[in-house]
Amino acid sequence: MVWQVTREAPGGAGECGVSGSSPRLMGILNVTPDSFSDGGEFFSVESALEHALALLDEGAEILDVGGESTRPGAEPVPQEEEQRRVLPAIRAVLDARPGTKISIDTYHAQTAEAALEEGASIVNDVTALRGDERMASVVAGAGCEVVLMHMLGEPRTMQRDPRYEDVVREVRDFLRERVDYAVGCGIDPGRIILDPGVGFGKTVEHNLELLRRLDEICELGFPVLVGTSRKRFIGTITGVQTPKERLFGTVATTVLAYERGASIFRVHDVRANREALDVARMLLIGERGG
Ligand code: HH2
């Protein structure tokens, strides 16, 4: 199928790759008690707001607000509880900084709908519209951007012996199929962002292969988001057990993924990744970001 991409910028399909618009930093705001690297730190509205403002001041263009951990082994959270966590945080951020671009990290249509009403403009769905049958119509109706991410299995069990014949080909085929589904449901292809889902049903070698051959995912013609920040495969390579201390390894993946064509980077540590991307962009195309 050939997709007719109607949107120009920011992040439209024509903007894919190093030569496109400057890379965008998506700062992570986990309003959860149990996220793998910062669980419980930003659970109150006050602490969530303070952290959100810090991420924005460091150069985040997007805030990704989530109320349920999807770390390996995590149990699902009831939607009502998820909304109780994320909606006040979104409201507080938009009151303090009107116009902030907010992404809601959820696979529940009702949570997405409520967050969009509050002022979010991106739905980050780690199930790529498979988790809730109403999600596609919510996104289509709102005309918002949507992140379609690859995941093998579900968070509770996804790291139990994941297998692929060719991880890059299978992730690319999956994403292509999800784009077809999304477009068939009335979602504007110009509002679709793809994500290979680093760490979601993948071994260390699968994650590395996806990053090495990220250009093959970018060839689908959509903006590509990567979420490597502080993830376990970085700890396995470097021997750094504490997720918060995996910044140096994270920055290496950010720069390499940028060089391979990714354009959105979902990170906990905005400043370090921002500076690395500024330098990488200057080296690669002789232009500063921003
Ligand atoms: N990773 C996590 C959560 N959401 N969304 C996208 N699109 N891509 C990702 O790689 C991704 C994601 C997991 O990271 P984090 O939010 O820090 O942890 P937790 O799920 O434990 O809250």
Side-chain angles (χ1 to χ4, degrees), residues 26 28-30 32 34-38 64 66 68-72 74 105 124-126 147-149 195-200 225-231 266 268:
M26 175 186 258
I28 300 170
L29 184 60
N30 283 324
T32 58
D34 58 345
S35 285
F36 79 94
S37 81
D38 53 7
D64 189 40
E68 173 179 331
S69 170
T70 47
R71 74 189 186 288
D105 186 351
N124 174 20
D125 183 354
V126 296
V147 180
L148 304 179
M149 194 196 82
D195 181 345
V198 171
F200 285 85
L225 179 156
V226 285
T228 57
S229 190
R230 300 181 181 175
K231 282 189 178 164
R266 183 182 181 278
H268 301 86

Side-chain angles (χ1 to χ4, degrees), residues 183-194:
V183 173
C185 292
I187 294 175
D188 176 355
R191 306 228 134 227
I192 294 175
I193 297 161
L194 300 182

Side-chain angles (χ1 to χ4, degrees), residues 90-151:
I90 294 175
R91 208 170 296 141
V93 172
L94 289 173
D95 277 350
R97 297 274 174 92
T100 299
K101 199 165 181 68
I102 300 222
S103 153
I104 174 71
D105 186 351
T106 188
Y107 54 87
H108 291 129
Q110 200 190 72
T111 302
E113 217 165 18
L116 291 165
E117 260 169 45
E118 251 350 299
S121 57
I122 303 177
V123 173
N124 174 20
D125 183 354
V126 296
T127 72
L129 310 176
R130 296 174 299 158
D132 185 329
E133 59 181 22
R134 240 174 29 85
M135 187 64 107
S137 69
V138 167
V139 170
C144 63
E145 287 179 284
V146 63
V147 180
L148 304 179
M149 194 196 82
H150 175 273
M151 167 165 48

Side-chain angles (χ1 to χ4, degrees), residues 72-93:
E75 293 288 339
V77 170
Q79 299 193 45
E80 298 67 31
E81 171 61 14
E82 184 190 30
Q83 288 161 37
R84 204 189 56 70
R85 295 176 183 179
V86 295
L87 298 178
I90 294 175
R91 208 170 296 141
V93 172

